[in-house]
């Protein structure tokens, strides 16, 4: 299905290994919670859903990194995910990873691809 690009935030809001930005997008015709963080100099976005049980990851709004700032963490179960690809790094994710969301950064802004309605 074709999609349309939509602005998420100014690129300056995403600090390396810092606070993320929550947003919604359309997937399979329904709104889905998602988030974007900066890791390795690039924005990385995922559905805001733990692979173990479908609950949102952030322990406070926009806080997705663990204390070491090396992993994304599920606040409910402690599952750890690699921020660069969403793969399970340990805990209750049992090898299942986060669902990536394609984002683009250009002209000082971060964009997501939404499904067309």
């Amino acid at each position: 299905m074709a999609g349309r690009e939509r602005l998420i935030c100014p690129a300056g809001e995403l600090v390396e290994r810092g606070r993320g930005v929550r947003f919604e997008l359309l997937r399979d015709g329904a709104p889905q919670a998602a988030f974007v963080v900066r890791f390795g100099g690039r924005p990385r976005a995922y559905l805001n859903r733990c692979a173990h049980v479908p609950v949102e990851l952030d322990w406070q709004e926009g806080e997705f990194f663990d204390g070491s700032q090396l992993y994304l963490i599920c606040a409910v179960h402690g599952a750890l995910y690699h921020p660069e690809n969403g793969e399970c790094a340990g805990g209750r994710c049992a090898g299942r990873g986060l669902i990536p969301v394609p984002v683009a950064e250009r002209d000082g802004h971060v964009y997501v691809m939404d499904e067309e309605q």
Side-chain angles (χ1 to χ4, degrees), residues 1-75:
M1 176 180 289
R4 64 177 175 82
E5 211 171 55
R6 182 171 53 89
L7 175 68
I8 298 174
C9 65
E13 282 188 29
L14 296 178
V15 176
E16 181 74 16
R17 299 182 191 203
R19 189 174 178 84
V21 173
R22 295 170 52 104
F23 62 96
E24 281 196 348
L25 72 160
L26 288 176
R27 287 291 183 265
D28 301 321
Q32 303 278 323
F35 68 95
V36 61
V37 295
R38 184 174 300 281
F39 187 84
R42 295 182 28 216
R44 316 288 179 144
Y46 301 97
L47 291 184
N48 193 358
R49 184 181 326 145
C50 182
H52 171 233
V53 174
V55 296
E56 294 185 357
L57 272 72
D58 40 345
W59 47 275
Q60 288 185 347
E61 187 169 331
E63 298 293 346
F64 296 97
F65 282 98
D66 71 341
S68 73
Q69 295 181 307
L70 295 175
Y71 301 101
L72 302 173
I73 186 168
C74 175

